[in-house]
Amino acid sequence: MKKIFKRILITIGVIVAVLALAWGGLVLRNLSVASKFPTTETGHIVDNIFVIKDGFANLFIIKDDTQSIVIDCGNNPAIVAEEMGKLGINPDNVAAVFLTHTDGDHVGALSLFDKAKLYMSKEEEQMINGTKSRFLWFGNSISRTDYILLDNREVVQIGNFKFEAFLVPGHTSGTTAYLVNDRYLFSGDIASLKGGKIAPIPAFIDMDTEQAVKSMEIIRQIPSAEYIFTAHWGCTDDYRAAIK
């Protein structure tokens, strides 16, 4: 009996070690790829749109005279707060946060915006409530529970800004792109930009690469869009050229 119990413990130990190595390898590979992402430096981009660089991720701020709205949150609260300070934008004045998805590099600094309304796709909730795993049995998590869930193509009007949600699953189950004022398309991680054209992101960081490629067709078919802003691969002011 003792021998059987010992063998069980050894087997469990081996399985845990293999899983730990697999997880560690995945993390290292992700960090290696992320270090090469051509992110945009903190600053003003165009019109009312500003960008914050947090390591290998970008978050975007849409601002007028009365309020600021954030798309994604970056990874490190201290870095995001410092970079926002360079632009003279106070996190406490952010009225709303729109998440493209809930991976850590998009929600890590969410705590900075605890006074803001929080929006994300209805399909993305399964990534944080234990229904869907991101890798093996590991799911995503966020620091708040008071979020507002959006349907595909739902429109939210906040002051002078109109947000339309486009469900583009594949990177995660509820990855969402946002079209702002019918002109500015924020694509999150559903696509990269290479040579000014949209392209797939590295397949191994997608949950479902085949679905992600299909979802890219959704963002190719938004006739009013003029700009594309990605979370890791920069932006372009020529939507038409990007989707060819």
Side-chain angles (χ1 to χ4, degrees), residues 69-72 96-100 118-119 150 156 158 163 178:
I69 299 171
V70 169
I71 298 179
D72 286 333
V97 172
F98 288 81
L99 298 179
T100 62
L118 176 62
Y119 297 87
L150 301 174
V156 178
I158 302 177
F163 290 77
Y178 295 101

Side-chain angles (χ1 to χ4, degrees), residues 38-51:
T39 45
T40 304
E41 295 297 326
T42 295
H44 174 244
I45 303 178
V46 64
D47 299 335
N48 296 324
I49 299 173
F50 299 79
V51 63

Side-chain angles (χ1 to χ4, degrees), residues 13-229:
V14 169
I15 292 172
V16 170
V18 169
L19 291 174
L21 287 172
W23 176 255
L26 180 66
V27 170
L28 289 174
R29 183 170 62 167
N30 285 355
L31 289 174
S32 176
V33 171
S35 67
K36 301 178 178 68
F37 287 162
T39 45
T40 304
E41 295 297 326
T42 295
H44 174 244
I45 303 178
V46 64
D47 299 335
N48 296 324
I49 299 173
F50 299 79
V51 63
I52 298 293
K53 181 177 179 179
D54 175 12
F56 55 84
N58 282 138
L59 62 97
F60 298 93
I61 304 171
I62 303 167
K63 182 179 180 297
D64 63 15
D65 293 335
T66 61
Q67 62 188 348
S68 301
I69 299 171
V70 169
I71 298 179
D72 286 333
C73 297
N75 184 58
N76 187 308
I79 293 176
V80 172
E82 180 180 359
E83 295 298 291
M84 290 182 70
K86 294 177 182 178
L87 301 177
I89 301 174
N90 187 338
D92 287 339
N93 293 335
V94 171
V97 172
F98 288 81
L99 298 179
T100 62
H101 62 293
T102 57
D103 283 348
D105 55 326
H106 293 252
V107 303
L110 180 59
S111 59
L112 283 177
F113 312 111
D114 57 358
K115 296 180 179 179
K117 289 185 177 180
L118 176 62
Y119 297 87
M120 67 179 180
S121 163
K122 187 177 292 183
E123 298 297 324
E124 187 68 8
E125 186 180 29
Q126 62 189 313
M127 299 299 305
I128 59 173
N129 66 8
T131 302
K132 186 81 82 170
S133 296
R134 188 65 171 91
F135 175 74
L136 296 176
W137 58 81
F138 300 99
N140 286 346
S141 64
I142 62 175
S143 61
R144 291 173 54 175
T145 59
D146 59 333
Y147 43 78
I148 300 166
L149 298 176
L150 301 174
D151 290 313
N152 183 36
R153 302 302 299 271
E154 185 168 348
V155 173
V156 178
Q157 187 77 38
I158 302 177
N160 297 318
F161 302 115
K162 169 190 169 186
F163 290 77
E164 184 173 2
F166 287 80
L167 181 64
V168 284
H171 183 63
T172 65
S173 297
T175 297
T176 300
Y178 295 101
L179 182 67
V180 179
N181 287 357
D182 299 318
R183 299 180 64 197
Y184 311 102
L185 180 62
F186 296 85
S187 62
D189 286 358
I190 199 57
S192 65
L193 278 171
K194 296 180 180 179
K197 297 185 181 297
I198 62 170
I201 71 171
F204 69 87
I205 56 178
D206 280 332
M207 289 181 64
D208 185 339
T209 299
E210 183 177 350
Q211 179 59 58
V213 171
K214 292 178 181 177
S215 290
M216 284 180 59
E217 293 307 307
I218 297 172
I219 65 172
R220 290 181 188 273
Q221 299 175 35
I222 305 177
S224 67
E226 300 175 25
Y227 299 80
I228 299 178
F229 305 87

